[in-house]
Coordinates of all heavy atoms in Angstrom, one line a residue:
M705 N -274.2 181.4 122.3 CA -272.8 181.2 122.5 C -272.3 180.1 121.5 O -272.9 179.2 121.1 CB -272.5 180.7 123.9 CG -272.9 181.7 124.9 SD -271.9 183.3 124.8 CE -270.6 182.9 126.0
I706 N -271.0 180.3 121.2 CA -270.3 179.4 120.2 C -269.4 178.5 121.0 O -268.7 179.0 121.8 CB -269.5 180.3 119.2 CG1 -270.5 181.2 118.5 CG2 -268.8 179.3 118.2 CD1 -269.7 182.3 117.7
H707 N -269.5 177.2 120.8 CA -268.7 176.3 121.5 C -267.5 175.9 120.5 O -267.6 175.6 119.4 CB -269.5 174.9 121.8 CG -270.6 175.1 122.7 ND1 -271.8 175.7 122.2 CD2 -270.7 174.9 124.0 CE1 -272.7 175.8 123.3 NE2 -272.0 175.3 124.4
I708 N -266.3 176.0 121.2 CA -265.1 175.7 120.4 C -264.3 174.7 121.3 O -264.2 174.9 122.5 CB -264.2 176.9 120.2 CG1 -265.0 178.0 119.5 CG2 -262.9 176.6 119.4 CD1 -265.0 179.4 120.1
R709 N -263.7 173.7 120.6 CA -262.8 172.7 121.3 C -261.4 172.9 120.7 O -261.2 172.9 119.6 CB -263.4 171.3 121.0 CG -262.4 170.2 121.5 CD -263.1 168.9 121.7 NE -264.0 169.0 122.9 CZ -264.7 168.0 123.4 NH1 -264.7 166.9 122.8 NH2 -265.4 168.1 124.5
F710 N -260.5 173.0 121.8 CA -259.1 173.0 121.4 C -258.5 171.7 121.9 O -258.7 171.2 123.0 CB -258.4 174.2 122.3 CG -258.9 175.5 121.9 CD1 -260.0 176.0 122.4 CD2 -258.2 176.3 121.0 CE1 -260.5 177.3 122.1 CE2 -258.6 177.6 120.6 CZ -259.7 178.1 121.2
I711 N -257.7 171.1 121.0 CA -257.0 169.8 121.3 C -255.5 170.1 121.2 O -255.0 170.4 120.2 CB -257.4 168.7 120.4 CG1 -259.0 168.5 120.4 CG2 -256.7 167.4 120.8 CD1 -259.5 167.6 119.4
S712 N -254.8 169.9 122.4 CA -253.4 170.2 122.5 C -252.7 169.1 121.9 O -253.2 168.0 121.6 CB -253.0 170.4 124.0 OG -253.7 171.4 124.5
A713 N -251.3 169.4 121.6 CA -250.5 168.4 121.1 C -250.5 167.1 121.9 O -250.2 166.0 121.4 CB -249.1 169.0 120.8
D714 N -250.6 167.3 123.2 CA -250.6 166.0 124.1 C -252.0 165.5 124.2 O -252.2 164.7 125.2 CB -250.0 166.4 125.4 CG -250.8 167.4 126.2 OD1 -251.9 167.8 125.8 OD2 -250.4 167.7 127.4
H715 N -252.9 165.9 123.5 CA -254.4 165.4 123.4 C -255.2 166.0 124.5 O -256.3 165.6 124.7 CB -254.4 163.9 123.3 CG -253.6 163.3 122.2 ND1 -253.9 163.5 120.8 CD2 -252.5 162.6 122.3 CE1 -253.0 162.9 120.1 NE2 -252.1 162.3 120.9
T716 N -254.7 166.9 125.3 CA -255.5 167.6 126.3 C -256.6 168.4 125.6 O -256.4 169.0 124.6 CB -254.7 168.5 127.2 OG1 -253.6 167.8 127.8 CG2 -255.5 169.2 128.2
V717 N -257.8 168.3 126.1 CA -259.0 169.0 125.5 C -259.3 170.1 126.4 O -259.4 170.0 127.7 CB -260.2 168.0 125.4 CG1 -261.4 168.8 124.9 CG2 -259.8 166.9 124.4
Q718 N -259.5 171.3 125.7 CA -260.0 172.5 126.5 C -261.2 173.0 125.7 O -261.1 173.1 124.4 CB -258.9 173.6 126.5 CG -257.7 173.2 127.2 CD -256.6 174.3 127.0 OE1 -256.6 175.2 127.8 NE2 -255.7 174.1 126.0
D719 N -262.4 173.2 126.3 CA -263.5 173.7 125.7 C -263.8 175.1 126.0 O -263.5 175.5 127.2 CB -264.7 172.8 126.1 CG -264.7 171.4 125.4 OD1 -264.2 171.3 124.3 OD2 -265.1 170.4 126.0
L720 N -264.4 175.9 125.2 CA -264.6 177.3 125.3 C -266.0 177.6 124.8 O -266.4 177.1 123.8 CB -263.5 178.1 124.6 CG -263.7 179.6 124.3 CD1 -263.6 180.3 125.6 CD2 -262.6 180.0 123.4
Q721 N -266.7 178.5 125.5 CA -267.8 179.1 125.0 C -267.6 180.5 124.8 O -267.1 181.2 125.8 CB -269.1 178.9 125.9 CG -269.4 177.4 126.1 CD -270.7 177.2 126.9 OE1 -271.7 178.0 126.7 NE2 -270.7 176.3 127.8
A722 N -267.9 181.1 123.7 CA -267.6 182.4 123.3 C -268.6 183.2 122.6 O -269.4 182.4 121.9 CB -266.2 182.5 122.6
A723 N -268.7 184.4 122.7 CA -269.8 185.1 122.0 C -269.2 185.5 120.5 O -268.1 185.5 120.3 CB -270.0 186.5 122.7
P724 N -270.1 185.6 119.6 CA -269.8 185.9 118.2 C -269.3 187.3 118.2 O -269.4 188.1 119.2 CB -271.0 185.6 117.4 CG -272.1 185.8 118.4 CD -271.6 185.3 119.7
G725 N -268.6 187.7 117.1 CA -268.2 189.0 116.9 C -266.8 189.3 117.4 O -266.5 190.6 117.5
Q726 N -266.0 188.3 117.7 CA -264.6 188.6 118.2 C -263.8 187.5 117.5 O -264.3 186.5 116.9 CB -264.5 188.5 119.6 CG -265.0 187.1 120.2 CD -265.0 187.0 121.7 OE1 -264.2 187.7 122.4 NE2 -265.9 186.3 122.3
S727 N -262.5 187.7 117.5 CA -261.6 186.6 116.9 C -261.5 185.5 117.9 O -261.7 185.6 119.1 CB -260.3 187.3 116.6 OG -259.5 187.4 117.8
L728 N -261.1 184.4 117.2 CA -260.9 183.1 118.0 C -259.8 183.4 119.0 O -259.8 182.9 120.1 CB -260.7 182.0 117.1 CG -260.4 180.6 117.8 CD1 -261.5 180.2 118.8 CD2 -260.2 179.6 116.7
M729 N -258.7 184.1 118.5 CA -257.5 184.4 119.4 C -258.0 185.2 120.7 O -257.6 184.9 121.8 CB -256.5 185.2 118.6 CG -255.2 185.5 119.4 SD -255.4 187.0 120.5 CE -255.5 188.3 119.3
K730 N -258.8 186.2 120.4 CA -259.3 187.0 121.5 C -260.1 186.3 122.6 O -259.9 186.3 123.7 CB -260.1 188.2 121.0 CG -260.4 189.3 121.9 CD -259.2 190.2 122.1 CE -259.4 191.4 122.9 NZ -258.2 192.1 123.3
A731 N -261.0 185.4 122.0 CA -261.9 184.6 122.9 C -261.0 183.7 123.7 O -261.2 183.4 124.8 CB -262.9 183.9 122.1
A732 N -260.0 183.0 123.0 CA -259.1 182.1 123.6 C -258.2 182.7 124.7 O -258.1 182.1 125.8 CB -258.3 181.3 122.6
T733 N -257.6 183.8 124.4 CA -256.7 184.4 125.4 C -257.5 184.9 126.6 O -257.0 184.9 127.7 CB -255.8 185.5 124.8 OG1 -256.7 186.5 124.1 CG2 -254.9 184.9 123.8
E734 N -258.7 185.5 126.4 CA -259.5 186.0 127.5 C -259.9 184.8 128.4 O -260.2 185.0 129.6 CB -260.6 186.8 127.0 CG -260.2 188.1 126.5 CD -261.4 189.0 126.0 OE1 -262.6 188.6 126.0 OE2 -261.2 190.1 125.7
A735 N -260.1 183.6 127.8 CA -260.5 182.5 128.6 C -259.3 181.7 129.1 O -259.4 180.6 129.7 CB -261.4 181.6 127.8
N736 N -258.1 182.2 128.9 CA -256.8 181.5 129.4 C -256.7 180.1 128.8 O -256.3 179.2 129.5 CB -256.8 181.5 130.9 CG -256.7 182.8 131.5 OD1 -255.9 183.7 131.0 ND2 -257.4 183.1 132.5
I737 N -257.1 180.0 127.5 CA -256.8 178.7 126.9 C -255.3 178.5 126.7 O -254.6 179.4 126.2 CB -257.5 178.6 125.4 CG1 -259.0 178.7 125.5 CG2 -257.1 177.4 124.6 CD1 -259.7 177.5 126.3
R738 N -254.8 177.4 127.2 CA -253.4 177.1 127.3 C -252.9 176.8 125.8 O -253.6 175.9 125.2 CB -253.0 176.0 128.2 CG -253.2 176.4 129.7 CD -252.9 175.3 130.6 NE -253.5 174.0 130.3 CZ -254.8 173.8 130.6 NH1 -255.6 174.6 131.2 NH2 -255.4 172.6 130.2
G739 N -251.9 177.4 125.3 CA -251.4 177.1 124.0 C -251.7 178.2 123.0 O -251.3 178.1 121.8
I740 N -252.5 179.2 123.3 CA -252.7 180.4 122.4 C -252.1 181.6 123.0 O -252.5 181.9 124.2 CB -254.2 180.6 122.2 CG1 -254.9 179.4 121.5 CG2 -254.4 181.8 121.3 CD1 -254.5 179.2 120.1
E741 N -251.1 182.1 122.4 CA -250.4 183.3 123.1 C -251.0 184.7 122.6 O -251.3 185.5 123.3 CB -248.9 183.2 122.8 CG -248.3 181.9 123.3 CD -248.3 181.7 124.8 OE1 -248.4 182.7 125.5 OE2 -248.3 180.6 125.2
G742 N -251.0 184.8 121.2 CA -251.5 186.1 120.7 C -250.7 187.3 121.1 O -251.3 188.3 121.5
D743 N -249.4 187.2 121.0 CA -248.5 188.2 121.5 C -248.8 189.6 120.9 O -248.6 190.6 121.4 CB -247.1 187.8 121.2 CG -246.6 186.7 122.1 OD1 -247.4 186.3 123.1 OD2 -245.5 186.2 122.0
C744 N -249.1 189.6 119.6 CA -249.2 190.9 118.9 C -250.6 191.5 119.0 O -250.9 192.6 118.5 CB -248.8 190.8 117.4 SG -250.0 190.0 116.4
G745 N -251.5 190.7 119.6 CA -252.9 191.3 119.8 C -253.7 191.2 118.6 O -254.8 191.8 118.5
G746 N -253.3 190.5 117.6 CA -254.1 190.3 116.4 C -253.7 191.2 115.3 O -254.5 191.4 114.3
T747 N -252.5 191.7 115.3 CA -252.1 192.5 114.2 C -251.3 191.8 113.1 O -250.6 192.5 112.3 CB -251.3 193.8 114.7 OG1 -250.1 193.2 115.4 CG2 -252.1 194.6 115.6
L748 N -251.3 190.5 113.2 CA -250.6 189.6 112.2 C -249.1 190.0 112.1 O -248.5 189.9 111.1 CB -251.2 189.9 110.8 CG -252.3 188.9 110.3 CD1 -252.7 189.2 108.8 CD2 -251.9 187.5 110.5
T749 N -248.5 190.0 113.3 CA -247.0 190.2 113.3 C -246.4 189.3 114.3 O -245.2 189.5 114.7 CB -246.7 191.6 113.7 OG1 -247.4 192.0 115.0 CG2 -247.1 192.6 112.7
C750 N -247.0 188.2 114.7 CA -246.3 187.3 115.7 C -246.4 185.8 115.4 O -245.5 185.1 115.8 CB -246.8 187.6 117.1 SG -248.5 187.0 117.5
A751 N -247.5 185.3 114.9 CA -247.7 183.9 114.6 C -247.7 183.0 115.9 O -247.4 181.9 115.7 CB -246.6 183.4 113.6
T752 N -248.1 183.6 117.0 CA -248.3 182.9 118.2 C -249.7 182.5 118.5 O -250.0 182.1 119.6 CB -247.6 183.6 119.4 OG1 -248.4 184.8 119.6 CG2 -246.2 183.9 119.2
C753 N -250.5 182.6 117.5 CA -251.9 182.2 117.6 C -252.2 181.1 116.6 O -253.3 180.9 116.2 CB -252.8 183.4 117.4 SG -252.7 184.1 115.7
H754 N -251.1 180.3 116.3 CA -251.3 179.3 115.3 C -252.2 178.1 115.8 O -252.1 177.6 116.9 CB -249.8 178.7 115.1 CG -249.7 177.6 114.2 ND1 -248.6 176.7 114.1 CD2 -250.5 177.0 113.2 CE1 -248.7 175.8 113.1 NE2 -249.9 176.0 112.6
V755 N -253.2 177.7 115.0 CA -254.0 176.6 115.2 C -254.1 175.7 113.9 O -253.8 176.3 112.8 CB -255.4 177.0 115.7 CG1 -255.4 177.7 117.0 CG2 -256.2 177.8 114.6
I756 N -254.4 174.5 114.1 CA -254.6 173.7 113.0 C -256.2 173.3 113.0 O -256.6 172.7 113.9 CB -253.8 172.4 113.0 CG1 -252.3 172.7 113.0 CG2 -254.1 171.5 111.8 CD1 -251.6 172.6 114.4
V757 N -256.9 173.8 112.0 CA -258.3 173.6 112.1 C -258.7 172.2 111.6 O -258.1 171.7 110.6 CB -258.9 174.7 111.1 CG1 -260.4 174.6 111.1 CG2 -258.6 176.1 111.6
D758 N -259.6 171.7 112.3 CA -260.2 170.4 111.9 C -260.6 170.4 110.4 O -261.3 171.4 110.0 CB -261.4 170.0 112.8 CG -261.9 168.6 112.4 OD1 -262.7 168.6 111.4 OD2 -261.6 167.7 113.1
P759 N -260.2 169.4 109.6 CA -260.5 169.5 108.1 C -261.9 169.8 107.8 O -262.2 170.5 106.8 CB -260.0 168.1 107.6 CG -259.0 167.7 108.6 CD -259.4 168.3 109.9
V760 N -262.8 169.2 108.6 CA -264.2 169.4 108.3 C -264.6 171.0 108.4 O -265.4 171.4 107.7 CB -265.1 168.6 109.3 CG1 -266.6 168.9 109.2 CG2 -264.9 167.1 109.0
W761 N -264.0 171.6 109.4 CA -264.3 173.0 109.6 C -263.5 173.9 108.8 O -264.0 175.1 108.5 CB -264.1 173.3 111.1 CG -265.2 172.7 112.0 CD1 -265.0 171.6 112.7 CD2 -266.5 173.3 112.3 NE1 -266.2 171.3 113.4 CE2 -267.1 172.4 113.1 CE3 -267.1 174.4 111.8 CZ2 -268.4 172.6 113.6 CZ3 -268.4 174.7 112.3 CH2 -269.0 173.8 113.2
A762 N -262.3 173.4 108.4 CA -261.4 174.3 107.6 C -262.1 174.8 106.4 O -262.0 175.9 105.8 CB -260.2 173.6 107.2
K763 N -262.9 173.9 105.7 CA -263.6 174.3 104.4 C -264.6 175.4 104.7 O -265.0 176.0 103.7 CB -264.3 173.1 103.9 CG -263.4 171.8 103.5 CD -264.3 170.8 102.9 CE -263.5 169.4 102.8 NZ -263.7 168.6 104.0
Q764 N -265.1 175.6 105.9 CA -266.1 176.5 106.2 C -265.6 177.9 106.4 O -266.3 178.9 106.6 CB -267.0 176.1 107.3 CG -267.7 174.7 107.0 CD -268.7 174.4 108.1 OE1 -269.4 175.2 108.6 NE2 -268.7 173.0 108.4
L765 N -264.3 178.0 106.6 CA -263.7 179.3 106.9 C -263.3 180.1 105.6 O -262.9 179.4 104.6 CB -262.4 179.2 107.8 CG -262.6 178.5 109.1 CD1 -261.1 178.3 109.7 CD2 -263.5 179.3 110.0
P766 N -263.5 181.4 105.7 CA -262.9 182.1 104.5 C -261.4 181.8 104.3 O -260.8 181.6 105.3 CB -263.2 183.6 104.9 CG -264.1 183.6 106.0 CD -264.0 182.2 106.7
P767 N -260.9 181.8 103.2 CA -259.5 181.5 103.0 C -258.6 182.7 103.7 O -259.0 183.7 103.8 CB -259.4 181.4 101.4 CG -260.5 182.2 100.9 CD -261.6 182.1 101.9
P768 N -257.4 182.2 103.9 CA -256.5 183.2 104.5 C -256.1 184.2 103.5 O -256.0 184.0 102.3 CB -255.3 182.4 105.0 CG -255.4 181.2 104.1 CD -256.8 180.9 103.8
V769 N -255.9 185.5 104.0 CA -255.4 186.5 103.1 C -253.8 186.3 103.0 O -253.3 185.5 103.8 CB -255.7 187.9 103.7 CG1 -257.1 188.2 103.7 CG2 -255.0 188.1 105.1
A770 N -253.2 187.0 102.1 CA -251.8 186.7 101.8 C -250.9 187.0 103.1 O -250.0 186.3 103.3 CB -251.3 187.5 100.6
D771 N -251.3 188.0 103.8 CA -250.5 188.4 105.0 C -250.5 187.3 106.0 O -249.5 187.1 106.7 CB -251.0 189.7 105.6 CG -250.6 191.0 104.7 OD1 -249.8 190.8 103.8 OD2 -251.1 192.1 105.0
E772 N -251.7 186.7 106.2 CA -251.8 185.6 107.1 C -250.9 184.4 106.7 O -250.1 183.8 107.5 CB -253.2 185.1 107.3 CG -253.3 183.9 108.3 CD -254.8 183.4 108.4 OE1 -255.7 184.1 107.9 OE2 -254.9 182.3 109.0
T773 N -251.0 184.0 105.4 CA -250.2 183.0 104.9 C -248.7 183.3 105.0 O -247.9 182.4 105.4 CB -250.5 182.8 103.4 OG1 -251.9 182.5 103.3 CG2 -249.8 181.5 102.8
D774 N -248.3 184.5 104.8 CA -246.9 184.9 104.9 C -246.5 184.8 106.4 O -245.4 184.3 106.6 CB -246.7 186.4 104.4 CG -246.8 186.5 102.9 OD1 -246.8 185.5 102.2 OD2 -247.0 187.7 102.5
M775 N -247.3 185.2 107.3 CA -246.9 185.2 108.7 C -246.8 183.8 109.2 O -246.0 183.5 110.1 CB -247.8 186.0 109.5 CG -247.5 186.3 110.9 SD -245.8 186.8 111.2 CE -245.8 188.3 110.4
L776 N -247.6 182.8 108.7 CA -247.5 181.5 109.1 C -246.1 180.9 108.9 O -245.7 179.9 109.5 CB -248.5 180.6 108.3 CG -249.9 180.5 109.1 CD1 -250.9 179.9 108.1 CD2 -249.8 179.7 110.3
D777 N -245.4 181.5 108.0 CA -244.0 181.0 107.7 C -243.1 181.1 109.0 O -242.0 180.6 109.1 CB -243.3 181.8 106.6 CG -243.9 181.4 105.2 OD1 -244.6 180.4 105.1 OD2 -243.7 182.2 104.3
F778 N -243.5 182.1 109.9 CA -242.8 182.3 111.1 C -243.3 181.5 112.3 O -242.8 181.7 113.5 CB -242.8 183.8 111.5 CG -242.1 184.6 110.3 CD1 -242.8 185.2 109.3 CD2 -240.8 184.8 110.4 CE1 -242.3 185.9 108.3 CE2 -240.1 185.6 109.4 CZ -240.8 186.1 108.4
A779 N -244.3 180.7 112.1 CA -244.8 179.8 113.2 C -243.7 179.0 113.8 O -242.8 178.5 113.0 CB -246.0 179.0 112.7
A780 N -243.8 178.8 115.1 CA -242.7 178.0 115.8 C -242.8 176.5 115.5 O -241.8 175.8 115.5 CB -242.8 178.3 117.3
S781 N -244.0 176.0 115.2 CA -244.2 174.6 115.0 C -244.5 174.4 113.5 O -245.0 175.3 112.8 CB -245.3 174.1 115.8 OG -245.0 174.2 117.2
P782 N -244.4 173.2 113.0 CA -244.6 172.9 111.6 C -246.0 173.4 111.2 O -247.0 173.1 111.9 CB -244.4 171.4 111.5 CG -243.5 171.1 112.6 CD -243.8 172.1 113.7
V783 N -246.1 173.9 110.0 CA -247.4 174.3 109.5 C -248.0 173.2 108.7 O -247.3 172.5 108.0 CB -247.2 175.6 108.6 CG1 -248.5 176.0 107.8 CG2 -246.7 176.8 109.4
E784 N -249.3 173.0 108.9 CA -250.0 171.9 108.2 C -251.0 172.6 107.2 O -251.2 173.8 107.2 CB -250.8 171.1 109.2 CG -249.9 170.4 110.2 CD -250.5 169.5 111.1 OE1 -251.6 168.9 110.8 OE2 -250.0 169.3 112.2
P785 N -251.6 171.8 106.2 CA -252.5 172.3 105.2 C -253.6 173.2 105.8 O -254.0 174.2 105.2 CB -253.0 171.1 104.5 CG -251.9 170.1 104.6 CD -251.3 170.3 106.0
D786 N -254.1 172.8 107.0 CA -255.2 173.6 107.5 C -254.8 174.5 108.7 O -255.6 174.9 109.6 CB -256.3 172.6 108.0 CG -256.9 171.9 106.8 OD1 -257.1 172.6 105.7 OD2 -257.3 170.7 106.9
S787 N -253.5 174.8 108.8 CA -253.0 175.8 109.7 C -253.5 177.2 109.5 O -253.7 177.6 108.3 CB -251.4 175.9 109.7 OG -250.8 174.7 110.3
R788 N -254.0 177.9 110.5 CA -254.4 179.3 110.4 C -253.9 180.0 111.7 O -253.5 179.4 112.7 CB -256.0 179.2 110.5 CG -256.6 178.6 109.3 CD -256.4 179.2 108.0 NE -256.9 180.7 108.0 CZ -258.0 181.1 107.5 NH1 -258.9 180.1 107.0 NH2 -258.3 182.3 107.5
L789 N -253.9 181.3 111.5 CA -253.6 182.2 112.6 C -255.0 182.6 113.1 O -255.8 183.3 112.5 CB -252.8 183.4 112.2 CG -251.4 183.0 111.8 CD1 -250.6 184.2 111.2 CD2 -250.6 182.2 112.8
C790 N -255.3 182.2 114.4 CA -256.7 182.3 114.8 C -257.1 183.8 115.2 O -258.2 183.9 115.4 CB -257.0 181.3 116.0 SG -256.2 181.6 117.5
C791 N -256.2 184.7 115.1 CA -256.6 186.0 115.3 C -257.3 186.5 114.0 O -258.0 187.6 114.0 CB -255.4 187.0 115.6 SG -254.2 187.2 114.2
Q792 N -257.2 185.7 113.0 CA -257.9 186.1 111.7 C -259.2 185.2 111.5 O -259.8 185.4 110.5 CB -257.0 185.8 110.5 CG -255.6 186.6 110.6 CD -255.9 188.1 110.7 OE1 -256.5 188.7 109.8 NE2 -255.5 188.7 111.8
I793 N -259.5 184.5 112.5 CA -260.8 183.7 112.4 C -261.9 184.4 113.2 O -261.7 184.5 114.5 CB -260.6 182.3 113.0 CG1 -259.6 181.5 112.1 CG2 -262.0 181.5 113.0 CD1 -259.2 180.2 112.6
Q794 N -262.8 185.0 112.6 CA -263.9 185.7 113.3 C -265.0 184.7 113.7 O -265.5 184.0 112.8 CB -264.4 186.8 112.4 CG -263.4 188.0 112.1 CD -263.0 188.7 113.4 OE1 -263.8 189.0 114.3 NE2 -261.7 188.9 113.6
L795 N -265.4 184.8 114.9 CA -266.4 183.9 115.4 C -267.7 184.3 114.9 O -268.2 185.5 115.2 CB -266.3 183.8 116.9 CG -265.1 183.1 117.5 CD1 -265.2 183.2 119.0 CD2 -264.9 181.7 116.9
T796 N -268.5 183.4 114.3 CA -269.8 183.6 113.9 C -270.7 182.5 114.3 O -270.1 181.3 114.6 CB -269.8 183.7 112.3 OG1 -269.3 182.5 111.7 CG2 -269.1 184.9 111.7
P797 N -272.0 182.6 114.4 CA -272.8 181.5 114.9 C -272.6 180.2 114.2 O -272.8 179.1 114.8 CB -274.2 182.1 114.8 CG -274.1 183.5 114.9 CD -272.7 183.8 114.2
D798 N -272.3 180.3 112.9 CA -272.2 179.0 112.1 C -270.9 178.3 112.4 O -270.7 177.1 112.0 CB -272.3 179.3 110.6 CG -271.3 180.2 110.1 OD1 -270.8 181.1 110.9 OD2 -270.9 180.1 108.9
L799 N -270.1 178.8 113.3 CA -268.9 178.1 113.7 C -269.1 177.3 115.0 O -268.1 176.9 115.6 CB -267.6 179.1 113.8 CG -267.2 179.7 112.5 CD1 -266.0 180.6 112.8 CD2 -266.8 178.5 111.5
D800 N -270.3 177.3 115.5 CA -270.6 176.6 116.7 C -270.2 175.1 116.6 O -270.7 174.4 115.6 CB -272.1 176.7 117.1 CG -272.4 176.1 118.4 OD1 -271.6 176.1 119.3 OD2 -273.6 175.6 118.5
G801 N -269.3 174.6 117.4 CA -268.8 173.3 117.4 C -267.5 173.2 116.8 O -266.9 172.0 116.6
L802 N -266.9 174.3 116.4 CA -265.5 174.3 115.8 C -264.5 173.6 116.6 O -264.5 173.6 117.9 CB -265.1 175.8 115.7 CG -263.7 176.1 115.1 CD1 -263.6 175.7 113.7 CD2 -263.4 177.6 115.3
V803 N -263.7 172.8 115.9 CA -262.6 172.1 116.6 C -261.3 172.5 116.0 O -261.1 172.5 114.7 CB -262.8 170.5 116.4 CG1 -261.6 169.7 117.0 CG2 -264.1 170.1 117.0
V804 N -260.4 172.9 116.8 CA -258.9 173.1 116.3 C -258.0 172.4 117.1 O -258.1 172.1 118.4 CB -258.7 174.7 116.3 CG1 -259.6 175.5 115.5 CG2 -258.7 175.2 117.8
R805 N -256.8 172.1 116.5 CA -255.7 171.5 117.3 C -254.7 172.5 117.6 O -254.6 173.5 116.7 CB -255.0 170.4 116.5 CG -255.9 169.0 116.4 CD -255.1 168.0 115.8 NE -254.9 168.2 114.3 CZ -253.7 168.3 113.8 NH1 -252.6 168.2 114.6 NH2 -253.5 168.4 112.6
L806 N -254.0 172.4 118.7 CA -252.9 173.4 119.0 C -251.5 172.8 118.6 O -251.3 171.5 118.8 CB -253.0 173.7 120.4 CG -254.2 174.5 121.0 CD1 -254.3 174.3 122.4 CD2 -254.3 175.9 120.4
P807 N -250.6 173.6 118.1 CA -249.3 173.1 117.8 C -248.6 172.8 119.1 O -249.0 173.3 120.2 CB -248.7 174.2 117.0 CG -249.4 175.5 117.5 CD -250.8 175.0 117.9
A808 N -247.5 172.2 119.0 CA -246.6 171.8 120.2 C -246.1 173.0 120.9 O -246.0 173.0 122.1 CB -245.5 170.8 119.8
A809 N -245.7 174.0 120.1 CA -245.2 175.2 120.7 C -245.6 176.4 119.9 O -245.8 176.4 118.6 CB -243.7 175.2 120.7
Q810 N -245.7 177.7 120.5 CA -246.0 178.9 119.8 C -244.7 179.8 119.8 O -244.7 180.8 119.1 CB -247.1 179.6 120.5 CG -248.4 178.9 120.5 CD -249.2 179.0 119.1 OE1 -248.6 179.3 118.1 NE2 -250.5 178.6 119.2
H811 N -243.7 179.3 120.5 CA -242.5 180.2 120.5 C -241.3 179.3 120.2 O -241.3 178.2 120.5 CB -242.3 180.8 121.9 CG -243.2 181.9 122.2 ND1 -243.1 183.2 121.7 CD2 -244.4 182.0 122.9 CE1 -244.0 184.0 122.1 NE2 -244.9 183.2 122.9
Ligands
FES87 FE1 -250.2 187.7 116.3 FE2 -252.3 186.4 115.5 S1 -252.0 187.2 117.4 S2 -250.5 186.9 114.4

């Protein structure tokens, strides 16, 4: 299992254990992680799965495709250098320990 830590804007910590082979958005919504909406189901049309990846981990992720970067322009909260749409982050065993921050709002 892959351990992921979500840190909310108010510093609340939510931990998740998820199986590899799914997106971070899917794993988070199925586990009812507060602060991840995923309204479009992962089709890159909503930007409600915005996360800010811890800088140490951000370097280990494949870079975002242009469509992801474009959709981040529609995020409800300010985008930071390590902002990602977590429906585009595929969970792999090497992401065990991943830490992401949640924006103040997704809508
Ligand atoms: Fe809609 Fe990620 S779930 S863009």
Side-chain angles (χ1 to χ4, degrees):
M705 296 295 267
I706 301 165
H707 298 78
I708 303 132
R709 173 159 285 184
F710 296 84
I711 303 173
S712 301
D714 67 359
H715 306 293
T716 301
V717 172
Q718 301 174 85
D719 288 325
L720 167 66
Q721 293 187 45
Q726 59 185 328
S727 73
L728 179 55
M729 180 279 290
K730 194 79 174 168
T733 55
E734 286 183 356
N736 295 316
I737 295 293
R738 294 179 307 283
I740 299 290
E741 302 296 336
D743 289 351
C744 76
T747 58
L748 265 184
T749 55
C750 75
T752 64
C753 62
H754 178 196
V755 296
I756 303 103
V757 179
D758 182 280
V760 171
W761 287 97
K763 299 185 193 91
Q764 300 186 38
L765 298 175
V769 297
D771 286 349
E772 180 183 348
T773 305
D774 290 347
M775 188 50 60
L776 269 168
D777 290 342
F778 296 93
S781 294
V783 171
E784 299 185 26
D786 293 322
S787 284
R788 297 294 302 263
L789 295 176
C790 69
C791 65
Q792 301 303 301
I793 298 174
Q794 293 299 313
L795 293 179
T796 55
D798 58 330
L799 292 181
D800 187 28
L802 177 66
V803 177
V804 300
R805 289 188 293 116
L806 295 168
Q810 297 283 14
H811 290 280

